[in-house]
């Protein structure tokens, strides 16, 4: 349904003079109508019916947004390793929409977040290991810990067999 417009209430600005407003432009349809009226003044301009003026982005369609399961899948991590949005969202990408079922992200946003996460957390995970006592440590330290544990265990077992003879 077309809305009535008043191109006369709009103005054309030079790009050098353009300053983005912090508030929404109340009469943007008037500006769009003025642009359409002046298309014939531009040499080699496409006919209006061949111009696309659309503020819609297909990746923002509600059916294409991903939930936490989709975000975890894109990041190639277990759902349990994904930060829970109930406990702060600083470790998650900003959602494109919040629903009653939780935040939803566009796939491009999810892919960008996953790539940043891999570049920052991936090397640490590759270089870390866990000791028998649980805390995550650098692999070399864990290898030394395990070797010393084996040496001490073997020495104690050897001592135990000597004393039982």
């Amino acid at each position: 349904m077309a809305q009535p417009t008043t191109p006369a209430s709009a103005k054309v600005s030079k790009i050098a003079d353009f300053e983005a407003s912090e508030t929404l432009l109340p009469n943007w349809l008037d500006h769009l109508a003025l642009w359409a009226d002046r298309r014939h003044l531009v040499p080699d301009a496409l006919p209006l019916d061949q111009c696309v003026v659309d503020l819609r982005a297909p990746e923002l369609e509600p059916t294409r947004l991903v939930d936490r399961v989709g975000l975890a899948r894109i990041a190639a991590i277990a759902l349990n390793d994904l930060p829970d949005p109930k406990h702060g969202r600083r470790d998650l990408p900003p959602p494109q929409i919040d629903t009653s079922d939780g935040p939803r992200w566009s796939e491009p946003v999810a892919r960008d977040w996953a790539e940043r996460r891999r570049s920052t957390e991936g090397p640490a995970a590759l270089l870390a290991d866990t000791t028998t006592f649980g805390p995550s440590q650098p692999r070399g330290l864990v290898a030394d810990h395990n070797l010393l544990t084996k040496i001490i265990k073997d020495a104690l077992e050897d001592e135990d067999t000597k004393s039982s003879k």
Side-chain angles (χ1 to χ4, degrees):
M1 180 169 132
Q3 296 178 355
T5 59
T6 314
S9 66
K11 67 177 184 169
V12 175
S13 298
K14 291 182 181 179
I15 193 71
D17 300 332
F18 180 76
E19 202 171 297
S21 172
E22 289 189 24
T23 60
L24 294 175
L25 191 61
N27 60 338
W28 74 271
L29 286 175
D30 295 339
H31 291 276
L32 188 58
L34 179 62
W35 169 82
D37 283 351
R38 296 206 173 171
R39 291 291 298 153
H40 71 279
L41 301 174
V42 178
D44 300 325
L46 290 173
L48 190 58
D49 63 347
Q50 292 182 18
C51 296
V52 177
V53 178
D54 193 352
L55 302 178
R56 207 175 120 265
E59 65 271 12
L60 296 178
E61 290 290 328
T63 57
R64 294 189 61 185
L65 297 177
V66 297
D67 58 3
R68 292 185 72 243
V69 172
L71 185 62
R73 178 186 45 77
I74 289 169
I77 59 174
L79 183 59
N80 291 341
D81 291 339
L82 191 66
D84 191 331
K86 295 177 191 168
H87 305 293
R89 294 187 177 189
R90 68 181 174 85
D91 294 329
L92 291 172
Q96 277 55 68
I97 191 171
D98 272 308
T99 68
S100 59
D101 294 327
R104 298 286 189 269
W105 297 273
S106 71
E107 288 190 30
V109 167
R111 283 192 303 271
D112 286 348
W113 176 80
E115 184 60 35
R116 279 193 308 279
R117 186 177 189 283
R118 276 190 289 275
S119 69
T120 58
E121 296 181 25
L126 289 174
L127 299 174
D129 204 350
T130 305
T131 66
T132 55
F133 301 107
S136 181
Q137 300 290 329
R139 281 185 187 251
L141 188 60
V142 170
D144 289 347
H145 171 271
N146 292 341
L147 179 60
L148 287 172
T149 301
K150 182 177 180 343
I151 291 169
I152 293 168
K153 178 182 175 238
D154 290 347
L156 289 172
E157 287 175 351
D158 286 346
E159 189 64 36
D160 194 34
T161 57
K162 285 181 191 174
S163 62
S164 64
K165 288 184 179 178

